[in-house]
Amino acid sequence: MNAGTDQAAQAVAAGEVAPYLQKLNTAQRQAVLWGTTGVIGRPDGPLLVIAGAGSGKTNTLAHRVAHLVACGADPGRILLLTFTTRAADEMARRVARILAQALGTGPRSAGVGIAWSGTFHSVGARLLREYAGRLGLDPAFTIHDREDSADLMNLVRHEQGCSAKDRRFPLKGTCLAIYSSAINTGSPLGEVLQSSFPWCAQWETELRQMFRGYVEAKQAQQVLDYDDLLLYWSRMVADPGLARDVGARFSHVLVDEYQDTNRLQASILLGMKPDGLGLTVVGDDAQSIYAFRGATVRNILDFPGLFDPPAVQVTLDRNYRSTAPVLAAANAVIALAAERYAKDLWTERTGAGLPRLVALRDEADQADFVVEQVLARRENGITLKSQAVLFRTAHHSARLELELTRRNIPFVKFGGLRFLEAAHVKDVLALMRWAQNPRDRVSGFRALQLLAGIGPKIAARVLDHVTAAPPGCALLAEQPMPAAAEAPWREFAGLVEALSRPDGAWPASFEQACRWYDAQMERRFDDAATRRADIAQLAHIAATYPSLERFLTELTLEPPDATSAQAGVPLLDEDYLILSTIHSAKGREWTAVTLLNAVDGCLPSDMATGSSAEIEEERRLLYVAMTRARDQLDILVPQRFHVGGQAGMGDRHVYASRTRFLPAAMLGMFEQIAWPPPDSLRAGSGQPVPAAIDLAAQMRDMWR
């Protein structure tokens, strides 16, 4: 222990509030101090922190990590699990700042960091590589992203003759979704098919056979997919000996966003810490909205009862984000949930106005209203970036996007292509993956076809030869090639051999691959110049990692955004409106939030009303949307939706009712308005409608 650690420990033992903890409120401080008031550095029993929306969850967790270190816990034995790498990086920065304050800024506090922090998937990948020998894995295994996994599934699908069925057999993406759902929920295949993919239930036998073939193909090629990273880790800690080894590595395990974990992730935590000693989970049952990814709200609801005695619970109920009227309405929505941890968020932020419930005629009026309000707020000093329009499903914003484009209002829509999904980025990564693992057939198939003159047939033949040959890449240069491809092939074979050397210089080897690929881009893409910016960014990112292995693993699990036209045109405006699904908006906040289509059929979605659990998750979606707003909240209720074509092309329409999650008893919490106002409804009423512009005068003036 250094002097700073001694001082922090003494302050805790004496019941004093250390300076770095003084800005925390009482509940936050309770969460931070749990387990450190007795024997310093000793992990205490399990802790559940119920952190309401805007309650300073991230700040509290960062303070707890820093406080544990300040009180003597070994930072190398702390495991911090988050749901994105960005969240882990942000947490690490906060922990460093707090530690500097707690321990002082001298040399002893420098370099103190949490070695084991990241997503479940990234930490799982690290542990699996370390324990690969005891698990029958090659430590150099490749990790497939979703698209690569779907491609491999498609190869198996074709090999087993499923693509030739005379009846509609599920495509590769659906097959992978079924497989992933069964793995992450821990449910039998038949149950998954009946509940989520009923039209595929007739193919249960064929799917089971295909999934076995898919697993065998992954094992033969030494590749793991996203789900394997959790599945293997879970099976590893199910073994008593391995569980003791892995669990003993970490004195404290802290988990953020616990409400978004699936059954596999919960089993991993319980396997490592069956008695709960040193285990802290933080989350909010009211924000559990990712069941479609396999997450289950039961994990956080049932957590205390997993241990004897039950886990200690601390509730963070002070909201620092929203005004009191917005918060009151959100509290009322979630109060009607069938099962929840009791908490009523409160705030000291007063607000002049109630959130607005806006009745509109149809989606066209909804788009016009949003544009009018967005521009009005902008004139009042609220930038476009400080405003967000949220919706349940991506296509709900289609009409609004057309209107924004027509009015020349820049916007960004969350949920587009990610960096790894851009074709040119996938090309370079496939080349690196195949050089690292020649048995990775999906990556090799893509990499080989980067050369002019090499198509699927030649690529498949080369892969067959490589798989059958002894380890090493020397065989590549000897492969028979068409005359036109011989010289490029020799260059390519030399590149792959250089990239595969364990002692190759890093990141120089990656830069070599990028230079080779750059020569292929003009032939492959019309917009090569734009895509080169992504490849340059990729090289810059690679240089920040210590090895090719770490680079491929981390980039696959947590890709950054892309800039190319393939993934969205780069913004030229300094300000832009945010459009986002509610799922993508979680964890974010804006000064003003507008929610589209708050009607039954849209929220709750008509595809998510098959069970009470689905309906409860839809209620939580509305709660999450409402709690993104700091000062202003508009909830829009269009009364009719045109069908069979766009509005204005006929009059086929259906009527919708206000979402069931805002019953009549709750309406007093909103300012209710109708738009457009009655005095603007002149068209079609028999009153003359004045022309907006004098075209006749303009035509005459052209010839003055």
Side-chain angles (χ1 to χ4, degrees):
M1 269 188 202
N2 60 38
T5 303
D6 288 334
Q7 185 178 7
Q10 291 167 7
V12 171
E16 301 173 5
V17 178
Y20 64 95
L21 301 179
Q22 288 177 355
K23 291 185 178 180
L24 301 177
N25 64 41
T26 301
Q28 290 172 333
R29 202 174 298 126
Q30 287 176 347
V32 169
L33 294 175
W34 166 248
T36 63
T37 54
V39 180
I40 300 303
R42 181 183 70 85
D44 216 320
L47 172 66
L48 169 63
V49 181
I50 298 297
S55 62
K57 166 182 67 68
T58 301
N59 192 42
T60 302
L61 188 56
H63 273 83
R64 177 160 175 79
V65 174
H67 182 67
L68 289 171
V69 176
C71 287
D74 180 357
R77 297 187 62 219
I78 292 178
L79 172 59
L80 175 60
L81 293 166
T82 62
F83 265 76
T84 66
T85 299
R86 295 179 187 87
D89 292 342
E90 170 60 22
M91 193 76 71
R93 286 191 291 269
R94 292 197 188 200
V95 170
R97 287 197 299 268
I98 299 165
L99 272 174
Q101 183 182 359
L103 304 181
T105 55
R108 289 185 175 182
S109 65
V112 176
I114 307 303
W116 286 89
S117 68
T119 65
F120 271 92
H121 292 87
S122 64
V123 170
R126 287 179 63 185
L127 287 172
L128 291 178
R129 291 198 194 278
E130 288 195 21
Y131 287 86
R134 298 172 67 177
L135 302 173
L137 285 172
D138 184 338
F141 62 78
T142 302
I143 301 173
H144 274 184
D145 63 17
R146 290 296 184 192
E147 186 173 336
D148 289 336
S149 299
D151 288 343
L152 182 56
M153 182 74 76
N154 204 37
L155 287 174
V156 178
R157 180 178 179 273
H158 180 70
E159 289 171 357
Q160 296 192 355
C162 296
S163 57
K165 298 289 185 185
D166 56 356
R167 289 180 293 164
R168 182 172 63 122
F169 192 81
L171 296 175
K172 64 178 182 179
T174 303
C175 292
L176 184 64
I178 295 169
Y179 172 85
S180 184
S181 180
I183 294 297
N184 285 291
T185 63
S187 303
L189 177 59
E191 184 178 311
V192 170
L193 291 172
Q194 290 296 336
S195 61
S196 302
F197 305 89
W199 71 271
C200 301
Q202 61 179 313
W203 302 110
E204 181 178 351
T205 301
E206 289 84 352
L207 287 168
R208 191 179 302 277
Q209 181 180 352
M210 182 195 304
F211 295 159
R212 181 178 179 85
Y214 173 64
V215 170
E216 290 172 347
K218 287 189 294 181
Q219 292 173 349
Q221 299 176 33
Q222 286 296 315
V223 299
L224 302 183
D225 60 25
Y226 281 160
D227 302 321
D228 288 332
L229 298 176
L230 300 182
L231 181 61
Y232 277 59
W233 188 4
S234 174
R235 295 296 174 88
M236 181 169 69
V237 297
D239 177 84
L242 284 171
R244 282 193 297 272
D245 281 1
V246 178
R249 298 182 66 147
F250 306 112
S251 60
H252 295 85
V253 178
L254 303 98
V255 186
D256 194 13
E257 304 286 8
Y258 188 65
Q259 78 280 349
D260 295 331
T261 55
N262 60 36
R263 292 179 182 175
L264 273 180
Q265 290 161 325
S267 70
I268 288 168
L269 296 176
L270 199 59
M272 290 196 302
K273 298 293 178 184
D275 53 8
L277 290 181
L279 180 59
T280 298
V281 301
V282 181
D284 182 9
D285 55 298
Q287 297 185 67
S288 178
I289 59 174
Y290 292 113
F292 68 94
R293 295 180 185 170
T296 171
V297 71
R298 297 304 330 166
N299 283 351
I300 194 167
L301 291 175
D302 298 339
F303 182 81
L306 296 176
F307 308 99
D308 186 18
V312 167
Q313 179 182 328
V314 175
T315 300
L316 308 184
D317 56 5
R318 179 178 177 180
N319 179 284
Y320 292 91
R321 175 187 302 155
S322 305
T323 62
V326 169
L327 203 56
N331 280 338
V333 167
I334 203 62
L336 298 179
E339 185 178 7
R340 69 186 184 106
Y341 285 108
K343 62 179 180 300
D344 284 318
L345 300 185
W346 61 278
T347 182
E348 292 183 350
R349 293 197 64 221
T350 58
L354 298 174
R356 298 192 297 180
L357 194 61
V358 185
L360 309 117
R361 288 175 300 188
D362 52 27
E363 291 177 289
D365 275 2
Q366 179 173 246
D368 290 340
F369 174 82
V370 171
V371 170
E372 178 185 282
Q373 297 300 308
V374 162
L375 293 178
R377 293 189 190 109
R378 181 173 177 271
E379 290 301 313
N380 289 331
I382 302 177
T383 62
L384 296 180
K385 284 183 182 178
S386 298
Q387 305 181 54
V389 181
L390 307 183
F391 31 87
R392 170 64 176 85
T393 305
H395 67 79
H396 286 177
S397 66
R399 182 62 186 255
L400 174 60
E401 291 176 49
L402 293 175
E403 187 63 20
L404 291 170
T405 302
R406 188 182 71 83
R407 301 281 288 272
N408 198 29
I409 299 174
F411 65 91
V412 168
K413 184 174 180 179
F414 284 84
L417 280 177
R418 301 184 72 175
F419 196 68
L420 267 185
E421 295 168 343
H424 50 295
V425 175
K426 288 190 68 67
D427 287 346
V428 175
L429 294 180
L431 174 60
M432 302 304 295
R433 289 194 185 105
W434 190 52
Q436 183 191 40
N437 177 11
R439 295 181 180 275
D440 182 352
R441 197 172 182 91
V442 170
S443 296
F445 197 68
R446 186 181 191 115
L448 287 166
Q449 293 182 79
L450 296 179
L451 278 79
I454 295 185
K457 186 175 180 180
I458 296 178
R461 185 186 69 205
V462 172
L463 290 172
D464 289 341
H465 291 172
V466 170
T467 302
C473 296
L475 179 70
L476 278 184
E478 304 169 9
Q479 295 295 316
M481 289 288 150
E486 284 183 357
W489 174 255
R490 284 194 295 271
E491 180 189 6
F492 176 77
L495 172 68
V496 173
E497 183 177 0
L499 295 177
S500 65
R501 291 176 186 148
D503 58 347
W506 175 264
S509 58
F510 187 79
E511 294 168 358
Q512 181 184 1
C514 290
R515 286 194 299 271
W516 177 86
Y517 183 73
D518 185 76
Q520 320 300 319
M521 292 186 72
E522 293 291 348
R523 172 176 54 83
R524 293 178 58 80
F525 305 111
D526 293 331
D527 56 347
T530 303
R531 295 172 186 266
R532 282 194 176 97
D534 277 345
I535 301 303
Q537 178 69 7
L538 193 63
H540 175 74
I541 294 171
T544 66
Y545 288 87
S547 66
L548 172 62
E549 174 189 292
R550 283 289 299 275
F551 167 68
L552 291 177
T553 297
E554 296 296 334
L555 193 68
T556 301
L557 297 180
E558 189 65 29
D561 295 328
T563 59
S564 68
Q566 176 84 2
V569 178
L571 286 167
L572 301 178
D573 298 86
E574 80 286 356
D575 196 16
Y576 46 85
L577 180 67
I578 306 298
L579 307 185
S580 176
T581 63
I582 301 173
H583 287 100
S584 296
K586 188 171 173 293
R588 297 169 62 88
E589 60 184 62
W590 294 274
T591 300
V593 169
T594 301
L595 176 64
L596 304 183
N597 295 343
V599 298
D600 266 17
C602 294
L603 189 64
S605 167
D606 54 8
M607 300 294 291
T609 56
S611 67
S612 58
E614 289 178 320
I615 294 173
E616 288 302 310
E617 178 156 319
E618 294 291 299
R619 186 193 312 277
R620 296 193 292 269
L621 270 171
L622 175 58
Y623 175 79
V624 167
M626 296 173 69
T627 53
R628 300 311 94 195
R630 286 195 289 262
D631 299 325
Q632 300 177 31
L633 172 64
D634 287 344
I635 298 179
L636 310 189
V637 185
Q639 295 178 344
R640 62 180 183 174
F641 291 80
H642 290 267
V643 297
Q646 295 188 2
M649 302 295 290
D651 196 35
R652 292 188 58 211
H653 59 267
V654 295
Y655 287 95
S657 58
R658 185 181 66 249
T659 174
R660 68 189 72 180
F661 304 134
L662 297 176
M666 206 179 290
L667 297 183
M669 295 182 166
F670 296 89
E671 175 189 354
Q672 299 180 64
I673 65 172
W675 194 93
D679 60 359
S680 68
L681 297 177
R682 295 188 292 270
S685 65
Q687 301 178 25
V689 180
I693 54 177
D694 189 349
L695 284 178
Q698 290 183 16
M699 297 304 105
R700 293 192 300 270
D701 291 343
M702 287 176 61
W703 305 103
R704 283 183 181 270

